Structures are given as structure tokens and as C-alpha cells.
């Protein structure tokens, strides 16, 4: 494994899910500095900077990547006067800390979120926000795992999540593994279930949340949020502090990755549409804060108006990272 | 080709689209009576009845099938005293009439619908409501073909339409064939386009429309209608008189076909989800009349309140078929 291979793994979604991408970024920095011939802290920091810029170019939306790379860069800068071996050690420590924090925050989010789940609830989720997207329990799925562990009887509908079918491939697998009553649907079937009153709550993850609570997540999330609002179904976003981008005022500032047309024109190698048809393939959409009932974080459940409630998180983030 | 093969072709969606299924039903009756050893009109009518009941069991939602079978049965009854060869001739005539009427109604719907399209419009459509679903021009797509023929500059987004991808496979092909500027999207991307103001109008077909204007159509249509309402995008249903079921007061009375789980768990033979995950796979959903801006028929454009405006159609249907 080298940095180029890791870049490709993120780009091609072999590693995906906002928190997992952050962790991969930190580990990518370790790969870069491990084989570095740098003799001084300054040389190592320069090398680290190049690797960070390169890794940051893999995917533009999930902010956890930039957040983790920044943390690694900070450590290098703080220790720049020390011998290279010391800096390497500090970087390993920071990467392990990022993983450990993600594990702990998964468990904390799950505990806070599970309070919102009642026995008998039928819950809809989109894409994969589980153990395969984080270092541990997952974000949205972690909430469901915890609710189940607490003995709550729940039923889950999983959107298949076109084009890359993370829901069909990953989420159903994780839910079945935890012996949760799981039903797979195509994305366009969710509204019909809501109209029949068969969905009590929706839980999804996020890839970047702006200062006002607007949340970017896998394409199709915004659609669900509008439908949830129309049908009076509570809509919850579950994400750790590392998914918030307090430098961005609203969701309009979140860059949305557009991916290759072949992801839509083919499916697992099979052609499903004319070769020459144009395709629009955004990987994410932005759900405005007004459609989000609450945001579940490792620091508790935040509700509207988010511009006020999220201030507590901004303060926490400053304390933890020494910057905004 | 025999009646059993035709039944399978309808069941497996080799023939699909409400008007095309109606035509297939009428032709299926011809297949049944062609080889019949019946000596009397009564015997032939009994045979025809069995074939009609069998064909009617292929798919439950699109009413055009039952409507066409009923027309064929009426002809047999009206001519029951005549020699078998005469009855056969009358049935052939009726089947050809059904095809001819569908062709004419396609053109008439297209003309009425094209008045709703302005040059510069970007239009979204779902599933396939084109020439591959009718005897001629299509319903919703016919409107777009006619608008283009009239020199209107339009751009079309086509929903891929999971699970069976009629949009990706058929609609894009038809639109590209007519040299219309076409972009394929996954179903869950439509909301994001509407939020950006990039959709001016939505045109879809229908499989059965109740007396109050509630319309059943391919799964995902209801979702689009709610999203259209939220974003202020006009939502048009295009369907011939044969798609109306005036015996049903509201959409709640329309039977919705649920199809095989493997349609969702696999895609063109490839497994995309765990073998043992449960699946919910309704083929249609019902859009309530309040979300439909207008219904385009061969007899003109009908608007809310449909319980009043559609009365004219009910009268026309009585005149044409001698019954409701």
C-alpha cells in the first residue's frame, strides 16, 4: 500500500463513508511519512503537506477528510523542531487518536440517538452509515444497533441507494448481521411507504454539515427529507463533530462531487442505458436545516434553530483543536 | 405464439405500457378464437370468456387490459347468433379498431399536451410512456415528440426507473432517436434538480385513473408528484380514455401489483443484495388528484376539480362503449 493506492481506494469508493474517509486520510499521511527520506522536521512537514494536498484531491464533499489531514498537519507543525523519528511517533499517536475518537463518538451518537427510537418503530435509512463507514458502530446505523441492543423491537427499510447501491450491498448486510428485521426497497418506493403510514422515523448520516445545520449527504437524502416533511415523518441526521464545517455558513457553500456517467449507464459492468446518453450524476445533495428534525452527535441531540443550538459544538471544536 | 405465451409476455413485461397491454389483450383474444374448434357462437363466446379471464390474470393494475378484453367480449355477445366465421371477422375488426383508436388518441394527446410545453422548457419524465408502450407515439413522450416537431426547443431528464429501468433502457433510446436533448438520472436525483430550479414541468403516463382523477402509475411517480408540489413544478399526467376506470371512485380502489423480490435483489442477472433480505416491490403507486396539475387526454386537457371536469369523459365513454 502506498499513498497513490490509498488515493485510488478513496476515489473509487473502496473506502467510503465520511468518518472512514477521515481515518483513511490520517493513515495515508502515515504511509507518506513512513518511507520519507526527510532528514529534518521541516523537510518532513513539506512532504506531509504535499501528501495531504494530494489526498485531499480524492473526494471534495466529505469534510472529515480535510479535518483529519489538518489534524495531522498541525501535529507535524507543533513538533517541527523535534527529530524526524519523534515527529513520526507523534503522527502515529494522532492517527490512533482519530480512530479511537471515532470509535467513542460512534458509541456516544448511538446512545443519544437510541433515545429517539421507541419499541415498535419502523425506520427508514438511506445509503450506508454503519460500521463499514466508520471505525466502529456507524452513525445512523449505530443508533439502530444500539436501540436493538436495548431490547427495542424495530423494523428497518433500507433504500438501495442508486447508483452505487450502498444500501442494497452494505446496509442490508450490516442490519441482517445484527439480526434486525430488514426490508430492501428501491429509492423511489420510500414515498409510497410514507403515504401508507408505514415509516415512523428516518435516520441518515452526513458528509458535511454547515454552521446553520444544512447537511450534505448521499444523493437522494434531500428527496427523502422533503417527503418526510410532507408526510410528517421525523427526519434525523446522525454525524460526529468531525463532519461539521463551521467555516461554511450554509449548505450552498458545500462543494458537491459529480461522478462519472458510467456509474449510471452501467451497473456492475452491465450496460443499462445507451452509451451516448448524457448523465447527471451528483454524489450528494444538501438538505436544508428546516427539513431536519434533529441532528444527533456524540455531544447530544441538537434541534432547530441550529444557528443557535450548534454554537455549543463550535465552542467544543475550538477547545479540542485549538482552532475553529 | 399462443395465448399462454402472450400471457407470459405481459407478465414478464416483454409487452408493457398500459395502452400496449390493452392491445395485447385484444390480440390475445384473436389467438384464442383463431384455433378454436367451436361450432356455435355460444361455444366461441364461452371459449373467449375463458381466454379473457386467463389474460386478465396477467397483471392487475393497468385497466386498459380489462377494458380491451371487455370490448372483445361485447362484440362476441352482440354477434352470438351469427356463424362462427362471422364472429371471428367481427373480433378481428374490433381488435384493429382498438389499435387504430390508440394510434389516433396518441396523436390527439400529443397535440393537446404540446400546448402545455414552451420552447426552452426542461422536462422530467418517469418510466416509459412512449412508442414502446402504445401502438404509436406514446402518451407522455408523445407530447414531447410533438413539441419537438412543432419546433419547440426542449431538454428532457429521464428517470432511470428502478427496478426494471424502463427509463434508462427504453425512454432514453426513444428520446435520442427523436434527437431530443436527453439526460439520464437515477430516480433519487430528481429532487436535487428541482431544488436547483432546473425542471420546468413533469410529464408522466398512467396505468389507471379513478373517477376523481387519482392516478396509478409506475412506482416513483407519487414521489415525483410530492416533490413537484413542494418545488412548484407543474405535474401533468397523459393518458387516453381507455386508462380511466370510472367504476372506481378514488385511487384507494386501484389494485397495486407487487412483483417478485428478485427484481430488486438482482439486476440483469447480477446479485446486488443478500439473497435472504426481504424486499418490498410494488410496481405502481397512486398519485392523489390534488398533486396533479392537469390530465391530458385525447379529448383535451382536464383540470381540478376532476370530479366535475372528468364528467365529460364519463359521458363520452358511455356513448362509445354503450356502458360505463
Amino acid at each position: 500500500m502506498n499513498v497513490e493506492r490509498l488515493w485510488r481506494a478513496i476515489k473509487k469508493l473502496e473506502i467510503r463513508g465520511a468518518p472512514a474517509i477521515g481515518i483513511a486520510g490520517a493513515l495515508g499521511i502515515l504511509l507518506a511519512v513512513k518511507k520519507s527520506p526527510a532528514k529534518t522536521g521541516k523537510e518532513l512537514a513539506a512532504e506531509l503537506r504535499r501528501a495531504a494536498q494530494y489526498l485531499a484531491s480524492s473526494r471534495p464533499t466529505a469534510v472529515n477528510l480535510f479535518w483529519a489531514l489538518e489534524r495531522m498537519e498541525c501535529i507535524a507543525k507543533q513538533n517541527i523542531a523535534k527529530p524526524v523519528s519523534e515527529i513520526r511517533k507523534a503522527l502515529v499517536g494522532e492517527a490512533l487518536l482519530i480512530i479511537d475518537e471515532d470509535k467513542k463518538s460512534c458509541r456516544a451518537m448511538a446512545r443519544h440517538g437510541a433515545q429517539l427510537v421507541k419499541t415498535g418503530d419502523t425506520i427508514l435509512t438511506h445509503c450506508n452509515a454503519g460500521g463499514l463507514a466508520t471505525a466502529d458502530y456507524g452513525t445512523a446505523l449505530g443508533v439502530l444497533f444500539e436501540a436493538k441492543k436495548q431490547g427495542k423491537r424495530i423494523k428497518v427499510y433500507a433504500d438501495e441507494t442508486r447508483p452505487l447501491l450502498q444500501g442494497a450491498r452494505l446496509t442490508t448486510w450490516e442490519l441482517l448481521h445484527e439480526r434486525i428485521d430488514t426490508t430492501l426497497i428501491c429509492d423511489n418506493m420510500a414515498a409510497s411507504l410514507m403515504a401508507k403510514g408505514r415509516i415512523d422515523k428516518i435516520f441518515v448520516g452526513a458528509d458535511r454539515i454547515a454552521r446553520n445545520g444544512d447537511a450534505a449527504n448521499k444523493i437522494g437524502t434531500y428527496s427523502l427529507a422533503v417527503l418526510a416533511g410532507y408526510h410528517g415523518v421525523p427526519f434525523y441526521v446522525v454525524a460526529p463533530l468531525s463532519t461539521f464545517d463551521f467555516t461554511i455558513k450554509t449548505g450552498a457553500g458545500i462543494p458537491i462531487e459529480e461522478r462519472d456517467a458510467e456509474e449510471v449507464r452501467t451497473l456492475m459492468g452491465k450496460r443499462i442505458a445507451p452509451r451516448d446518453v448524457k448523465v447527471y450524476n451528483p454524489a450528494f445533495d444538501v438538505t436544508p436545516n428546516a427539513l431536519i428534525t434533529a441532528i444527533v452527535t456524540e455531544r447530544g441531540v441538537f434541534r432547530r434553530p441550529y444557528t443557535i443550538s450548534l454554537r455549543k459544538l463550535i465552542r467544543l471544536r475550538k477547545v479540542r483543536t485549538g482552532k475553529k
Side-chain angles (χ1 to χ4, degrees), chain A:
Chain A
M1 176 64 88
N2 57 24
V3 180
E4 288 69 28
R5 178 69 191 86
L6 187 73
W7 184 93
R8 217 164 58 239
I10 297 173
K11 181 78 179 174
K12 299 217 171 255
L13 274 59
E14 293 164 18
I15 299 167
R16 31 68 53 203
I21 294 174
I23 290 164
L27 296 175
I29 294 299
L30 294 190
L31 284 175
V33 301
K34 196 175 126 192
K35 294 173 188 173
S36 164
K39 294 273 186 301
T40 67
K42 219 175 145 190
E43 282 172 30
L44 194 75
E47 192 140 359
L48 189 159
R49 171 122 208 87
R50 275 194 302 277
Q53 281 176 338
Y54 173 63
L55 286 166
S57 72
S58 60
R59 297 195 72 196
T61 303
V63 78
N64 311 58
L65 176 60
F66 313 115
W67 167 86
L69 294 172
E70 217 174 278
R71 279 182 65 167
M72 297 298 275
E73 282 202 74
C74 275
I75 292 296
K77 275 183 210 149
Q78 282 164 20
N79 295 282
I80 202 156
K82 294 186 185 160
V84 165
S85 62
E86 288 288 308
I87 305 177
R88 280 208 186 97
K89 219 175 281 175
L91 287 168
V92 170
E94 187 69 6
L96 293 177
L97 187 63
I98 288 173
I99 294 174
D100 190 55
E101 282 176 14
D102 187 58
K103 282 185 186 173
K104 282 187 184 135
S105 77
C106 280
R107 299 281 161 165
M109 280 184 281
R111 273 196 311 277
H112 291 300
Q115 292 172 9
L116 301 168
V117 179
K118 282 194 306 195
T119 197
D121 273 352
T122 299
I123 288 156
L124 174 66
T125 188
H126 188 68
C127 197
N128 176 265
L132 298 168
T134 62
D136 187 71
Y137 219 32
T139 54
L141 290 193
V143 169
L144 308 186
F145 298 153
E146 177 65 24
K148 161 92 179 179
K149 222 173 73 179
Q150 291 174 0
K152 291 173 182 166
R153 194 170 32 77
I154 57 170
K155 190 173 149 67
V156 178
Y157 282 95
D159 273 353
E160 64 174 4
T161 318
R162 279 283 287 150
L164 296 176
L165 298 166
Q166 290 92 340
R169 294 185 293 115
L170 312 178
T171 299
T172 58
W173 182 85
E174 287 199 47
L175 290 167
L176 291 176
H177 187 263
E178 298 287 329
R179 299 176 183 281
I180 290 175
D181 181 345
T182 305
T183 305
L184 174 65
I185 58 170
C186 298
D187 302 326
N188 65 22
M189 296 167 185
S192 151
L193 284 171
M194 289 188 226
K196 290 191 173 83
R198 282 165 66 180
I199 303 293
D200 297 307
K201 277 148 202 171
I202 299 175
F203 283 87
V204 297
D207 290 81
R208 194 186 300 208
I209 301 176
R211 192 183 268 262
N212 72 340
D214 292 353
N217 190 44
K218 178 54 37 70
I219 187 71
T221 302
Y222 168 64
S223 184
L224 280 190
V226 172
L227 293 166
Y230 183 81
H231 294 95
V233 175
F235 183 88
Y236 300 111
V237 170
V238 187
L241 200 44
S242 56
T243 297
F244 287 79
D245 182 352
F246 296 121
T247 69
I248 285 182
K249 265 194 185 164
T250 75
I254 302 176
I256 299 296
E257 176 184 10
E258 284 197 32
R259 294 183 61 85
D260 197 272
E262 285 295 281
E263 284 184 358
V264 175
R265 286 190 299 229
T266 62
L267 209 145
M268 294 186 162
K270 289 238 180 190
R271 182 151 302 282
I272 58 171
R275 200 177 296 273
D276 52 345
V277 71
K278 284 192 286 185
V279 165
Y280 173 59
N281 183 19
F284 305 94
D285 55 27
V286 175
T287 298
N289 58 20
L291 295 173
I292 301 171
T293 309
I295 303 177
V296 179
T297 76
E298 67 269 48
R299 297 296 182 143
V301 176
F302 295 81
R303 292 183 185 266
R304 284 189 298 260
Y306 296 109
T307 38
I308 294 168
S309 65
L310 292 180
R311 278 188 203 149
K312 187 184 151 197
L313 280 187
I314 300 178
R315 280 195 302 273
L316 281 168
R317 175 88 149 246
K318 277 186 187 151
V319 170
R320 205 148 85 175
T321 64
K323 55 181 302 197
K324 99 188 137 171

